[in-house]
């Protein structure tokens, strides 16, 4: 397993181009199962999760090739409907294979994804939606058996749950409904930009979807879908991570490649905190060191357009260095605070009260050996290491590689002192 060593305190200056959005790319890859024609997907990030989804599509029978770096050709001509446990268990997003398999083959057998470190990851809303479309749903020995061969038809579906809408649940139901006769209306649909991106691609393939970007989608089923060429939208979470990095120390980072309109809640919160943020154009934001002027915040994570849970850990690092008391409350994954014990080891002053982190800003963090636990927690630790005094070693960095393409190279190009190595090469005093 790899680790990264970060020597904190170097100012970061320059421009970073963010990659395509992981959470758009994964359902978009799954959507290629909806047609037997070739789909060409561009601006695909080089991530372990993406390569893994490609592996699953191949296992199902699709022809999958990365023709040039970042561009993939996928042809799902002859496919089967079973996604096995040994593949699905490694990536939760594989649940979004259910929808396209039902849409195309009218049946699917997909292993239950299980939970993960950020919390329970139920799929009850997905399954409720499939039932409403006329699919039989059975769960046996860890697998979900979906059978719509008896006849699926459009229906009205309310997809809201105890934590609001479901992103991959919405993706799944859209992909099942686009090839289901009749009209499907999804109320309380997720309207994350990644869902809008998936819908844009499906429209190119010939799907009939109304209400893009809203919580209410109307889908008119069609007979078949065609291949397409589609470019994945920029990753708003990667962009937000680099914007937060720009606010640390004496940094000055220009972040390009993501729609500013996809980051409204983050930018609004940073403005409220008196951060030095300049919007250059619709896809470019400049962030400069602001720790001497930042004000504490109260942040509550919510479904889009609310504050994204995927930026909560990164904001916790920023607030850990902001004078005063900040409160970060997790309404999506109440346990998503695995980064906090590691930040405490670096000198942060944070206590967890239920679903809230009470953050008392300190004037500096100290480098330390820390452990990554999940994708966004590892990003929070990287940010902490960049600003901490001294050396930080982050172990289990494979978590980071799931969602950030070449982040060490991107940070190094901005002036960071960050080195990646195998854990066997760590100095004895760290291991
Ligand atoms: C997507 O996960 C993202 N992953 C997550 O990003 C993101 O944190 C999450 O949406 C919330 O924005 C992908 O898109 C691949 P949900 P998803 O279904 O779809 C509850 C990252 O770091 N719920 O929107 O799995 C659920 O427990 C990852 O990139 C039900 O109760 O999340 C959670 O509390 C982490 N029943 C809330 O809804 C269901 O059937 C939101 O979950 C489904 C979900």
């Amino acid at each position: 397993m790899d680790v990264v060593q970060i020597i904190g305190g170097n100012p970061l200056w320059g421009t970073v181009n963010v990659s395509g959005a992981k959470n758009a790319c994964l359902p978009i890859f799954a959507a290629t199962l909806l047609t037997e024609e070739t789909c060409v997907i561009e601006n695909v990030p080089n991530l372990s999760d993406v390569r893994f989804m490609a592996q699953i599509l191949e296992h199902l029978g699709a022809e999958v090739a990365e023709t040039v770096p970042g561009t993939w050709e996928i042809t799902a001509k002859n496919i089967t409907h079973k996604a096995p446990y040994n593949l699905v268990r490694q990536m939760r997003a594989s649940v979004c294979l259910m929808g396209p398999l039902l849409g195309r083959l009218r049946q699917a057998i997909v292993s239950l994804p299980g939970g993960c470190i950020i919390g329970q990851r139920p799929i009850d809303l997905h399954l409720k939606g499939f039932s409403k479309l006329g699919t039989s749903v059975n769960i046996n020995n860890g697998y979900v058996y979906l059978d719509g061969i008896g006849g699926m038809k459009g229906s009205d579906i309310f997809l809201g749950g105890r934590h609001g809408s479901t992103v991959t649940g919405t993706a799944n139901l859209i992909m099942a409904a686009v090839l289901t006769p009749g009209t499907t209306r999804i109320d309380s649909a997720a309207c994350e930009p990644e869902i809008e991106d998936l819908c844009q691609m499906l429209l190119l393939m010939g799907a009939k979807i109304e209400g893009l970007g809203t919580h209410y989608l109307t889908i008119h089923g069609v007979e078949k879908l065609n291949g397409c060429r589609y470019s994945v939208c920029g990753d708003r979470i990667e962009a937000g991570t680099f914007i937060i990095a720009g606010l640390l120390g004496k940094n000055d980072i220009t972040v390009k490649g993501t729609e500013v309109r996809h980051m409204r809640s983050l930018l609004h919160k940073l403005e409220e905190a008196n951060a030095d943020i300049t919007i250059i154009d619709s896809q470019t934001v400049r962030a400069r060191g602001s720790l001497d002027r930042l004000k504490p915040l109260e942040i509550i994570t919510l479904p889009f357009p609310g504050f994204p849970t995927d930026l909560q850990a990164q904001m916790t690092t920023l607030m850990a260095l902001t004078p005063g008391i900040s409160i970060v409350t997790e309404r999506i994954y109440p346990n998503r605070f695995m980064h906090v014990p590691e930040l405490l080891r670096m000198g942060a002053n944070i206590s967890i009260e239920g679903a809230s982190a009470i953050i008392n800003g300190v004037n500096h963090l100290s480098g330390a050996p820390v452990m990554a636990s999940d994708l966004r927690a590892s990003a929070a630790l990287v940010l902490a290491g960049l600003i901490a005094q001294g050396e930080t070693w982050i172990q289990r960095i494979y978590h980071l590689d799931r969602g950030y393409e070449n982040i060490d190279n991107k940070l190094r190009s901005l002036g960071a002192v960050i080195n990646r190595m195998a854990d066997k090469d760590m100095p004895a005093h760290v291991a």
Side-chain angles (χ1 to χ4, degrees):
M1 282 194 272
D2 282 0
V3 301
V4 288
Q5 171 205 32
I6 303 175
I7 312 289
N10 260 37
L12 307 186
W13 289 344
T15 297
V16 62
N17 293 296
V18 299
S19 305
K22 165 180 84 81
N23 290 349
C25 186
L26 295 174
I28 281 172
F29 265 38
T32 64
L33 295 172
L34 287 164
T35 176
E36 60 182 21
E37 298 179 9
T38 298
C39 294
V40 179
I41 313 298
E42 297 170 333
N43 198 34
V44 174
N46 177 21
L47 301 172
S48 53
D49 270 13
V50 169
R51 291 192 298 276
F52 195 73
M53 179 61 93
Q55 194 184 334
I56 297 178
L57 296 180
E58 275 187 321
H59 176 89
L60 292 170
E63 291 164 41
V64 183
E66 186 175 16
T67 50
V68 295
T71 297
W72 290 70
E73 276 194 14
I74 302 170
T75 309
K77 202 165 179 63
N78 305 302
I79 54 172
T80 61
H81 65 280
K82 180 169 182 177
Y85 173 70
N86 66 316
L87 293 176
V88 169
R89 70 180 173 79
Q90 299 182 51
M91 183 179 65
R92 148 125 190 128
S94 8
V95 289
C96 52
L97 293 163
M98 293 177 185
L101 288 174
L102 267 181
R104 174 84 182 275
L105 301 178
R106 294 292 187 264
Q107 57 182 346
I109 301 175
V110 179
S111 165
L112 276 169
C116 72
I117 194 118
I118 66 175
Q120 245 209 24
R121 307 295 294 271
I123 58 168
D124 55 301
L125 298 171
H126 302 230
L127 303 182
K128 181 185 100 173
F130 293 142
S131 301
K132 294 283 281 182
L133 292 176
T135 304
S136 71
V137 177
N138 290 293
I139 294 177
N140 249 327
N141 43 58
Y143 277 83
V144 180
Y145 295 80
L146 300 169
D147 185 345
I149 291 177
M152 291 169 63
K153 62 182 176 29
S155 173
D156 291 352
I157 300 170
F158 183 80
L159 213 45
R162 49 192 167 286
H163 295 278
S165 49
T166 161
V167 177
T168 46
T170 302
N172 252 336
L173 271 303
I174 292 169
M175 292 190 280
V178 288
L179 287 175
T180 293
T183 297
T184 297
R185 294 177 186 82
I186 303 176
D187 192 356
S188 194
C191 58
E192 269 66 5
E194 295 77 24
I195 294 296
E196 190 177 339
D197 215 34
L198 169 67
C199 290
Q200 292 290 4
M201 172 187 161
L202 291 169
L203 289 176
L204 268 185
M205 295 169 75
K208 292 188 177 0
I209 306 170
E210 297 153 17
L212 266 64
T214 75
H215 290 294
Y216 196 87
L217 298 172
T218 301
I219 298 155
H220 305 285
V222 295
E223 285 287 311
K224 75 184 280 291
L225 293 176
N226 312 308
C228 69
R229 175 181 290 270
Y230 191 75
S231 183
V232 177
C233 69
D235 193 320
R236 63 192 168 106
I237 305 302
E238 182 190 10
T241 304
F242 277 105
I243 288 169
I244 292 168
L247 300 177
L248 300 169
K250 299 201 178 332
N251 299 346
D252 182 346
I253 301 177
T254 297
V255 182
K256 297 175 80 76
T258 291
E259 291 292 329
V260 167
R261 66 186 174 88
H262 290 167
M263 301 188 283
R264 292 193 309 272
S265 56
L266 169 69
L267 296 173
H268 162 71
K269 273 297 171 186
L270 292 178
E271 184 188 354
E272 186 185 321
N274 192 36
D276 185 348
I277 294 281
T278 309
I279 295 175
I280 309 287
D281 62 37
S282 67
Q283 292 214 340
T284 309
V285 176
R286 183 178 181 185
R288 280 176 279 199
S290 303
L291 291 180
D292 57 346
R293 53 185 269 186
L294 277 185
K295 296 178 186 150
L297 287 172
E298 178 169 8
I299 293 170
I300 299 175
T301 66
L302 289 168
F304 192 88
F307 192 89
T309 175
D310 293 349
L311 282 174
Q312 179 264 106
Q314 301 92 314
M315 276 300 276
T316 299
T317 294
L318 183 67
M319 292 295 107
L321 290 158
T322 299
I325 305 277
S326 296
I327 302 175
V328 175
T329 300
E330 254 296 348
R331 287 265 186 275
I332 309 295
Y333 300 112
N335 303 325
R336 196 175 194 171
F337 292 114
M338 301 303 291
H339 45 291
V340 169
E342 301 305 304
L343 290 174
L344 293 179
R345 301 189 64 245
M346 298 177 74
N349 181 348
I350 304 171
S351 60
I352 301 296
E353 296 295 332
S356 296
I358 316 295
I359 306 165
N360 196 331
V362 295
N363 58 29
H364 75 276
L365 295 174
S366 306
V370 291
M371 195 73 77
S373 55
D374 62 274
L375 170 52
R376 307 305 174 180
S378 37
L381 297 178
V382 168
L383 294 177
L386 290 170
I387 189 64
Q389 293 172 358
E391 193 175 87
T392 298
W393 291 81
I394 305 176
Q395 301 185 52
R396 299 183 185 166
I397 211 66
Y398 60 85
H399 289 293
L400 200 60
D401 295 333
R402 290 190 44 218
Y404 289 91
E405 179 182 30
N406 295 328
I407 191 168
D408 35 341
N409 295 334
K410 288 178 180 175
L411 286 169
R412 199 173 297 117
S413 72
L414 294 171
V417 180
I418 178 169
N419 303 303
R420 179 189 285 255
M421 65 192 75
D423 51 6
K424 66 179 177 48
D425 298 328
M426 272 196 305
H429 75 276
V430 175

